[in-house]
Amino acid sequence: MGRIGHLCSWLMISLCAVAHANTADFPAFLKKLQQQARDAGIDEATMSAQFPQIKLFRRAAAPSSDKERSLERYLPSEATEQRAQAAKTLYLAHKREFDALALKYQVQPRFVLAFWGISSDYGERETAYSALSVMASLAFESAQTPPDLSAFFAALKRIEQHKNTAAELLSDSNGLLGQPRLTVSAYDRCGTDGDGDSKADIWGNALDVFATIAHCLNSQGWDDSQTWGRQVRATSKLKSALIGEQHRASFVQWQAAGVRRYDGAALPQRKDMQVSLIMPDGVNGRQYLIYDNYRALKQFLHDDYKVLALVHLSEKIKALQID
């Protein structure tokens, strides 16, 4: 992985030129990509077996409504009562395993369940595509200069090292793996065997999915003595420089700046936590103070909309007496 990572920074430059020179010439792109994989240390047997199987994958165009999304529409559609009830059923069916994971990784079960629910609707949304084909195609069609090929090389390395077969490495249309929708690097770091069979099957084994999510969050410093954050109201006179994850302050400082609980009450009088104020829909939309656990979730979901859907679902699950 280290050797591949160092090589990618300069290998991507030449590959980008190929991708943009002729977007109909996927075979030529693959030929270049194969040579770069060889230079990156992928063995010939792996390349000979895998490259002939790689096909151009084209994603369906995103619905126009995605471009006009708002939290007021998005959250009710994702953090649903139906998903919360499904989480309760799953928790009761696997209570012993969830409680053991909570002790081992110090991650509350409701967040593991919410992560799973938002990522793949508890496995109902399948990861049905060849990860190698998706990753190579995304790089081929990338508008970025250079395209990111690290995930593709990492996936090849997993196959070379017999950690997964190509048939097992299935992704969604964004190249994310398994029911938790992890990048290859995240799967490398925290893919976990949850049932003792020495495999981390995040595609078909629910116990491995639970353990992997808990391990991932723990690896980012999850603190089970805290929650994720809270919805608040901020004065319209708040300086724009204070808004965003880059700025952190104590509750006492936010109180002095004009931020209040959503119901208008005072914030906790604590100076020991450094939290941030975010407004994904702008100053006229929902406003949240976010804690370190929120930041841990964003390391995997990357998008505030998805993270907020997850945490709102976790609150609905908590309301069903699941911690």
Side-chain angles (χ1 to χ4, degrees):
M1 285 293 294
R3 183 181 179 189
I4 291 171
H6 289 301
L7 284 168
C8 280
S9 60
W10 65 267
L11 295 180
M12 290 175 193
I13 297 174
S14 61
L15 287 169
C16 180
V18 176
H20 290 287
N22 182 358
T23 57
D25 197 2
F26 189 59
F29 176 79
L30 283 183
K31 187 175 180 179
K32 289 280 188 179
L33 183 57
Q34 186 170 4
Q35 181 57 50
Q36 305 297 354
R38 182 178 293 111
D39 294 342
I42 304 298
D43 66 35
E44 290 293 337
T46 299
M47 291 190 296
S48 295
Q50 302 309 321
F51 271 84
Q53 309 304 317
I54 296 174
K55 310 298 180 186
L56 182 61
F57 175 83
R58 295 192 180 278
R59 292 192 292 180
S64 59
S65 59
D66 286 352
K67 301 175 183 179
E68 302 169 358
R69 65 179 183 167
S70 72
L71 287 171
E72 295 302 328
R73 291 193 296 269
Y74 185 78
L75 294 180
S77 71
E78 294 294 311
T80 64
E81 291 293 340
Q82 181 180 6
R83 280 189 177 152
Q85 290 293 338
K88 180 177 181 179
T89 299
L90 289 163
Y91 175 76
L92 293 176
H94 298 283
K95 186 177 186 302
R96 183 177 64 180
E97 290 87 352
F98 275 114
D99 291 349
L101 288 173
L103 287 173
K104 183 175 182 179
Y105 293 109
Q106 291 83 54
V107 178
Q108 304 95 311
R110 72 177 185 271
F111 288 103
V112 175
L113 287 158
F115 192 119
W116 189 23
I118 294 301
S119 295
S120 65
D121 203 10
Y122 309 110
E124 291 298 314
R125 295 198 302 271
E126 293 183 341
T127 43
Y129 309 113
S130 161
L132 291 179
S133 290
V134 172
M135 292 171 187
S137 299
L138 291 176
F140 174 65
E141 298 179 341
S142 175
Q144 294 182 350
T145 305
D148 186 358
L149 293 166
S150 58
F152 177 80
F153 287 126
L156 278 176
K157 183 58 70 174
R158 288 194 68 89
I159 294 169
E160 177 186 297
Q161 296 174 344
H162 306 290
K163 294 180 179 179
N164 295 97
T165 66
E168 290 171 338
L169 276 178
L170 298 177
S171 76
D172 66 4
S173 61
N174 295 307
L176 300 177
L177 305 179
Q179 295 183 27
R181 299 296 193 266
L182 299 178
T183 62
V184 181
S185 61
Y187 183 39
D188 279 338
R189 291 195 313 272
C190 52
T192 305
D193 172 21
D195 64 354
D197 67 355
S198 301
K199 297 180 180 179
D201 178 7
I202 60 173
W203 292 266
N205 187 317
L207 299 183
D208 292 356
V209 172
F210 306 158
T212 293
I213 294 172
H215 187 192
C216 283
L217 296 180
N218 175 270
S219 74
Q220 293 298 317
W222 188 270
D223 184 349
D224 65 352
S225 71
Q226 298 180 10
T227 184
W228 59 272
R230 65 175 70 235
Q231 189 173 0
V232 295
R233 295 181 185 274
T235 174
S236 60
K237 298 179 181 179
L238 192 72
K239 294 180 180 178
S240 60
L242 302 181
I243 302 170
E245 292 182 51
Q246 73 284 349
H247 179 78
R248 302 190 189 207
S250 69
F251 287 111
V252 171
Q253 290 170 315
W254 284 119
Q255 176 82 13
V259 179
R260 300 291 184 272
R261 296 176 192 256
Y262 185 69
D263 64 4
L267 294 173
Q269 294 300 296
R270 296 181 59 171
K271 299 180 180 180
D272 60 322
M273 290 176 63
Q274 294 291 303
V275 302
S276 299
L277 178 66
I278 63 168
M279 301 180 185
D281 287 343
V283 295
N284 294 320
R286 291 178 178 235
Q287 304 167 353
Y288 297 90
L289 285 178
I290 58 167
Y291 309 165
D292 286 343
N293 285 347
Y294 185 100
R295 298 175 191 275
L297 290 166
K298 198 169 179 183
Q299 290 298 309
F300 301 98
L301 279 78
H302 307 292
D303 176 71
D304 282 313
Y305 271 54
K306 289 184 178 179
V307 179
L308 287 168
L310 189 160
V311 297
H312 276 275
L313 179 58
S314 77
E315 295 296 329
K316 290 180 181 291
I317 295 170
K318 183 180 181 180
L320 299 175
Q321 308 303 311
I322 299 172
D323 193 10

